Amino acid sequence: MHRLIRDMLFGLTDAHVILEPESGQLMHPEALSAFDQLRRDARNAGFEPRVVSGFRGFERQRMIWNAKACGQRPLLDSSGKPLDVAQMSPDDILFAILRWSALPGASRHHWGTDFDVIDAAAVEEGYRVQLTPEEVADDGVFGPFHRWLDERIAAGESRGLFRPYAVDRGGVAPERWHLSYAPRAREFQDLLTEQALVEMILSCESDQGLSLSECICERMPEIYPRFIAIPDSAYPTNITRL
C-alpha cells in the first residue's frame, strides 16, 4: 500500500481533506460536495444542517480511546449508564469502549467521508450538542430533520450519503447523526483489512501508546466484523467509484 494512501486510511495525515467553511470542520472534498447538495435540499424544506464533527485524526482518536481505557472519560454500558473501569477485565473494557467509540486507525472519520450532523435551525445559538439517541429520536429536538432525511435516503435522493450505523448489529450503537459519503467510504473500507489494521497497531504501539493494543490484536477476528466492517447491504446501491 502506498504510504500516502496508508496515512489517509489510518488518519495519520489530513492531506485528503478540506475546510467546510460554515462549520470549520475538515471533510473529504467529495463528501463536502454531497453535503452541500443535501444542505440545499434541506434548506428548501426548512432545515439547516450543520456538521459538528468531520475529519478526526488518529492522534485525536487515540486520546479519546486511552482516556476511556483508564477511566479519565466516562465509560458507558449499552444503555448509557456509567461503568466502573476498575472492576472490569481488559476484554470488558475493550468492548465497552468499542460500543461508543471507534478504534484508533479504524474510525471512518479518519477518511473525511464521514461526519456528524445536526439541524441548527432546531436549537438556539449556543445550544450544547450532545449527539445522544434522545436528541435524534423522532420526538427529539432533531427528530423532524432526521425523519426528512429518512425519506431522502429511502428514495435514493440523499446525494450518495447514508447512515452506516442506522441499526444495531450487535457492535457500534446506532448513530442517526452519523452520515457517510458512500462511494469514497466504500473504497477506504475495502482497504481497511484485519491484517492491515493489526500491522498498523503493532507499528504504532511503541511511539504512540495505544491502550489495550495486545488485547485488540488478539480479539481482532471478533472486533472487525462487529465494530468495523459495514455490510454491503447497508450501502446504497449504484454507488460510483473512481
Side-chain angles (χ1 to χ4, degrees), residues 219-238:
R219 302 301 297 272
M220 188 61 71
E222 180 180 356
I223 292 170
Y224 187 85
R226 280 186 61 190
F227 297 96
I228 298 173
I230 300 299
D232 292 346
S233 59
Y235 280 85
T237 58
N238 301 321

Side-chain angles (χ1 to χ4, degrees), residues 55 89 96-97 144 148 157 173 193 198 200 207 213 222:
F55 168 80
S89 70
I97 298 174
W148 173 85
E157 298 174 352
T193 63
V198 168
M200 186 282 300
D207 58 344
S213 58
E222 180 180 356

Side-chain angles (χ1 to χ4, degrees), residues 65-66 68-70 75-76 83-85 88-104 171-172 197 201 210-224 226-228:
W65 179 274
N66 285 358
K68 289 191 173 186
C70 70
L75 188 60
L76 308 177
L83 295 166
D84 184 359
V85 173
M88 299 169 66
S89 70
D91 272 7
D92 289 340
I93 296 171
L94 170 62
F95 287 105
I97 298 174
L98 286 168
R99 181 68 171 160
W100 298 101
S101 294
L103 177 67
V172 178
L197 190 51
I201 291 171
L210 181 61
S211 295
L212 303 171
S213 58
E214 183 176 345
C215 187
I216 292 167
C217 292
E218 289 178 355
R219 302 301 297 272
M220 188 61 71
E222 180 180 356
I223 292 170
Y224 187 85
R226 280 186 61 190
F227 297 96
I228 298 173

Side-chain angles (χ1 to χ4, degrees), residues 18-27 32 35-36 39 50-51:
I18 61 174
L19 183 70
E20 196 287 298
E22 293 192 23
S23 65
Q25 296 291 324
L26 296 172
M27 300 174 66
L32 176 53
F35 174 68
D36 280 339
R39 179 163 50 191
R50 178 177 299 167
V51 176

Side-chain angles (χ1 to χ4, degrees), residues 111 185-193 224 232 235 241:
W111 311 336
R186 184 55 187 270
E187 291 180 338
F188 279 113
Q189 181 177 314
D190 286 348
L191 295 172
L192 191 65
T193 63
Y224 187 85
D232 292 346
Y235 280 85
R241 300 199 186 193

Side-chain angles (χ1 to χ4, degrees), residues 7-209:
D7 288 352
M8 291 163 56
L9 181 64
F10 297 130
L12 301 173
T13 181
D14 61 4
H16 57 300
V17 292
I18 61 174
L19 183 70
E20 196 287 298
E22 293 192 23
S23 65
Q25 296 291 324
L26 296 172
M27 300 174 66
H28 188 287
E30 292 179 61
L32 176 53
S33 177
F35 174 68
D36 280 339
Q37 295 175 61
L38 183 73
R39 179 163 50 191
R40 285 196 294 270
D41 298 337
R43 283 172 172 167
N44 289 335
F47 303 107
E48 185 59 37
R50 178 177 299 167
V51 176
V52 293
S53 181
F55 168 80
R56 191 159 59 239
F58 177 88
E59 178 58 21
R60 174 60 180 160
Q61 198 67 31
R62 184 192 69 83
M63 291 175 62
I64 294 171
W65 179 274
N66 285 358
K68 289 191 173 186
C70 70
Q72 292 178 352
R73 281 187 174 224
L75 188 60
L76 308 177
D77 65 14
S78 291
S79 63
K81 296 180 180 179
L83 295 166
D84 184 359
V85 173
Q87 304 300 317
M88 299 169 66
S89 70
D91 272 7
D92 289 340
I93 296 171
L94 170 62
F95 287 105
I97 298 174
L98 286 168
R99 181 68 171 160
W100 298 101
S101 294
L103 177 67
S107 172
R108 297 174 69 93
H109 284 271
H110 292 339
W111 311 336
T113 58
D114 288 49
F115 52 95
D116 301 331
V117 64
I118 66 164
D119 173 23
V123 293
E124 298 292 334
E125 191 69 29
Y127 173 83
R128 187 164 178 253
V129 177
Q130 301 292 314
L131 293 181
T132 61
E134 291 75 20
E135 285 181 321
V136 298
D138 282 350
D139 59 353
V141 64
F142 302 130
F145 167 67
H146 283 289
R147 290 197 301 273
W148 173 85
L149 188 53
D150 287 342
E151 296 175 358
R152 302 291 295 195
I153 293 174
E157 298 174 352
S158 56
R159 309 296 184 174
L161 297 167
F162 79 111
R163 295 189 182 99
Y165 306 120
V167 298
D168 192 344
R169 304 183 187 94
V172 178
E175 295 184 353
R176 206 177 185 186
W177 56 81
H178 183 134
L179 297 182
S180 177
Y181 182 61
R184 302 292 82 81
R186 184 55 187 270
E187 291 180 338
F188 279 113
Q189 181 177 314
D190 286 348
L191 295 172
L192 191 65
T193 63
E194 289 185 44
Q195 181 179 351
L197 190 51
V198 168
E199 290 175 356
M200 186 282 300
I201 291 171
L202 292 175
S203 70
C204 78
E205 181 179 0
S206 59
D207 58 344
Q208 291 170 306

